[in-house]
Amino acid sequence: MAEEKELLSYKGHPLMRKDNLIYYGSMADSHIIMMQILETKKEGDADIATRVSVELQLTDPNVRAKDRIVKKSEKDGFFTALDVGCVWLNRALSSK
């Protein structure tokens, strides 16, 4: 039997990671946040994100990939990027 994976979530929205890309939000909603880790530094055994690109994107598959980007920014550190993304996503989803 295949076990179901429990999704990681932050403030009520799912978080999924694939290599250096982190997606925040649900594809069923009108917008998602895509974060890309651009730089890391080594601290002990862990890699810590030092530069992260944040994009608020539309999830509409009929829109060209280039036109899906609504907002874009670059932040120092993962948690700063996640906080900005959380605010952008909540504002975009509440303005439906």
Side-chain angles (χ1 to χ4, degrees):
M1 254 190 234
E3 290 182 30
E4 284 191 38
K5 281 183 150 179
E6 194 171 319
L7 287 178
L8 183 63
S9 67
Y10 178 72
K11 294 190 178 182
H13 299 287
L15 267 169
M16 289 184 280
R17 180 177 181 172
K18 172 73 173 141
D19 298 324
N20 284 343
L21 292 177
I22 296 112
Y23 294 96
Y24 178 58
S26 173
M27 289 301 285
D29 293 333
S30 61
H31 294 79
I32 61 163
I33 295 292
M34 184 189 82
M35 295 178 279
Q36 182 177 13
I37 298 171
L38 303 173
E39 284 181 4
T40 61
K41 72 176 180 179
K42 199 79 157 158
E43 285 209 12
D45 293 338
D47 287 330
I48 307 297
T50 56
R51 223 174 93 222
V52 181
S53 168
V54 185
E55 293 180 0
L56 175 66
Q57 297 182 351
L58 293 169
T59 57
D60 186 354
N62 299 322
V63 178
R64 292 185 323 167
K66 188 176 170 184
D67 296 333
R68 287 185 193 158
I69 300 170
V70 177
K71 286 185 179 184
K72 185 175 184 172
S73 182
E74 202 171 286
K75 298 296 173 191
D76 296 328
F78 175 74
F79 291 106
T80 306
L82 184 58
D83 283 342
V84 167
C86 184
V87 170
W88 285 357
L89 185 62
N90 287 332
R91 286 182 182 169
L93 295 178
S94 67
S95 67
K96 285 184 186 178

